[in-house]
Amino acid sequence: MCMVIFAPLFAIFAFATCGGYSGGLRLSVDCVNKTESNLSIDIAFAYPFRLHQVTFEVPTCEGKERQKLALIGDSSSSAEFFVTVAVFAFLYSLAATVVYIFFQNKYRENNRGPLIDFIVTVVFSFLWLVGSSAWAKGLSDVKVATDPKEVLLLMSACKQPSNKCMAVHSPVMSSLNTSVLSEIQSGETLKKGKRIASLIL
């Protein structure tokens, strides 16, 4: 039962690290004509990672003209599915914990409670697997789309050897990496905890 109690904590950690994420990167474009340069181009993005809607302007190094660009990709579907599964898993784990602790007698009265519990657990275990796999792929796409080197390739000024383009700051992805690991761990905890509880009952 301890595993079932810890499952909500893993679920909270999983959806909090993803749903509450915001990050950014900083680039610099140093033109031959220094007055046209921009050494601090900040690009911010956040959950639900509709990156194609994240726009920013960069110098073209051809007078005062600016180039308007957007990041590539949309990982919102996998991110939102990930968070939704985590939230519902948290709510179910919390409810199951309350039942195990305070309503043991009613839970044991007939086989309907354990049967429903088992079916819901199987469904959630499947959703955990799908959700973590989908978000792992989505996170991989986010990392590629927000890689400063990839973003620099979108800029016309950076295609000219005379201009110097550099990545000043890369996005920190450690919390998003943790979110995937937390979801996998939460799914395993939920599944093992329910299996142990069923054996006990």
Side-chain angles (χ1 to χ4, degrees), residues 50-55 70-71 73-74:
R50 293 187 178 92
L51 300 179
H52 65 288
Q53 295 180 358
V54 178
T55 59
L71 296 178
D74 182 2

Side-chain angles (χ1 to χ4, degrees), residues 2-75:
C2 290
M3 293 185 181
V4 180
I5 294 174
F6 284 116
L9 300 179
F10 283 116
I12 290 174
F13 199 67
F15 68 73
T17 51
C18 178
Y21 179 84
S22 62
L25 60 148
R26 179 176 295 174
L27 309 172
S28 71
V29 177
D30 189 7
C31 304
V32 175
N33 185 349
K34 302 300 182 182
T35 60
E36 300 171 359
S37 302
N38 187 341
L39 304 181
S40 183
I41 303 170
D42 292 311
I43 306 171
F45 61 97
Y47 173 85
F49 307 105
R50 293 187 178 92
L51 300 179
H52 65 288
Q53 295 180 358
V54 178
T55 59
F56 55 98
E57 291 188 350
V58 297
T60 60
C61 296
E62 297 177 357
K64 295 184 178 180
E65 185 180 350
R66 291 290 181 269
Q67 181 182 18
K68 187 172 183 180
L69 298 171
L71 296 178
I72 297 174
D74 182 2
S75 298

